[in-house]
């Protein structure tokens, strides 16, 4: 049994939004078809972490010291011709005693914080996946009236106490899906690594 359109109060031209998108017998206009597409899923999760910002700062400092040393190397050699070999060696290689420890310190910071950063990346990906799941659940409950070209949600479509919606302009449906998902289900807390290696399911 079709849902009744809240605009024209008829049901003979109503159809669920997911079905309307795949109905080759009565295809939607291109504009409406694009606006009624499901919420895009998050990208596939990769269990990788962003680079540590403190480590990147140390790497950059080491690179700057090395670049300046190389830039001035030729000039320093000509200026130190009268100095002793030991003095020249110490003067010319001195910057390396600064750049190498900086690079090593950056590596230590990078490795020591990797587990925490990977966990943060996984929690963020899990939260994005949960948000998408809730929006997709709301989108699946939407209906379309082909006569009026408006979307709507019948009473109880999303949850038992969900009230019937007014007619929704097709262009406003994505915003309705987002706000309704947040209002009905709230903003999810990241589940610990629940979706760390999962790929989002294809929309129905």
């Amino acid at each position: 049994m079709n849902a009744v359109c809240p605009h024209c109060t008829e049901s003979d031209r109503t159809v669920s939004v997911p079905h309307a998108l795949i109905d080759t017998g009565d295809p939607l206009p291109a504009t409406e078809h694009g606006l009624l597409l499901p919420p895009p899923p998050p990208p596939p999760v990769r269990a990788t972490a962003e680079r540590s910002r403190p480590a990147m700062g140390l790497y950059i400092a080491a690179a700057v010291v090395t670049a300046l040393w190389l830039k001035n190397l030729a000039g320093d050699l000509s200026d130190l011709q009268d100095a002793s070999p030991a003095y020249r060696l110490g003067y010319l290689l001195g910057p390396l005693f600064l750049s190498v420890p900086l690079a090593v310190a950056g590596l230590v910071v990078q490795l020591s914080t990797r587990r925490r950063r990977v966990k943060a990346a996984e929690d963020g990906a899990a939260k994005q996946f949960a948000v998408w799941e809730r929006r997709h659940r709301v989108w699946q409950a939407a209906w379309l009236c082909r006569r009026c070209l408006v979307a709507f949600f019948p009473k109880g479509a999303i949850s038992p106490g969900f009230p019937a919606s007014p007619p929704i302009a097709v262009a406003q449906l994505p915003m309705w899906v987002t706000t309704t998902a947040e209002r009905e289900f709230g903003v999810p807390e990241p589940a610990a690594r629940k979706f760390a290696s999962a790929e989002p399911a294809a929309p129905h």
Side-chain angles (χ1 to χ4, degrees):
M1 181 176 178
N2 289 355
V4 175
C5 171
H7 186 261
C8 65
T9 67
E10 299 290 342
S11 63
D12 60 315
R13 295 283 289 160
T14 62
V15 63
S16 72
V17 166
H19 180 76
L21 290 173
I22 61 174
D23 187 358
T24 57
D26 190 3
L28 294 169
T31 300
E32 282 72 18
H33 187 278
L35 292 169
L36 292 173
L37 289 173
V45 175
R46 297 289 182 264
T48 56
E50 294 183 356
R51 290 187 179 273
S52 167
R53 291 185 179 180
M56 290 299 298
L58 291 168
Y59 291 148
I60 292 171
V64 169
V65 171
T66 302
L68 292 174
W69 171 65
L70 292 174
K71 179 181 178 181
N72 297 324
L73 186 58
D76 289 340
L77 284 173
S78 61
D79 294 339
L80 296 173
Q81 288 183 5
D82 296 333
S84 66
Y87 180 84
R88 279 189 293 175
L89 184 64
Y91 183 84
L92 295 176
L93 297 184
L96 293 180
F97 291 101
L98 177 60
S99 61
V100 171
L102 285 172
V104 171
L107 181 60
V108 170
V109 172
Q110 182 80 12
L111 295 177
S112 63
T113 60
R114 184 179 186 279
R115 178 175 295 182
R116 175 177 56 80
R117 289 180 289 107
V118 168
K119 178 63 165 57
E122 290 175 347
D123 285 348
K127 185 174 181 179
Q128 288 183 359
F129 191 94
V131 167
W132 172 78
E133 278 192 321
R134 295 177 179 199
R135 291 177 181 176
H136 191 266
R137 177 177 172 184
V138 172
W139 170 82
Q140 286 183 307
W143 281 69
L144 174 73
C145 178
R146 292 184 178 276
R147 177 183 292 109
C148 308
L149 279 182
V150 295
F152 63 96
F153 292 93
K155 182 178 180 181
I158 299 173
S159 61
F162 184 80
S165 76
I168 304 167
V170 170
Q172 296 178 357
L173 182 63
M175 181 183 67
W176 267 75
V177 167
T178 298
T179 56
T180 302
E182 292 177 358
R183 184 177 66 247
E184 291 296 310
F185 306 118
V187 178
E189 292 296 326
R193 306 191 183 188
K194 182 177 179 181
F195 302 105
S197 59
E199 299 237 351
H204 297 299

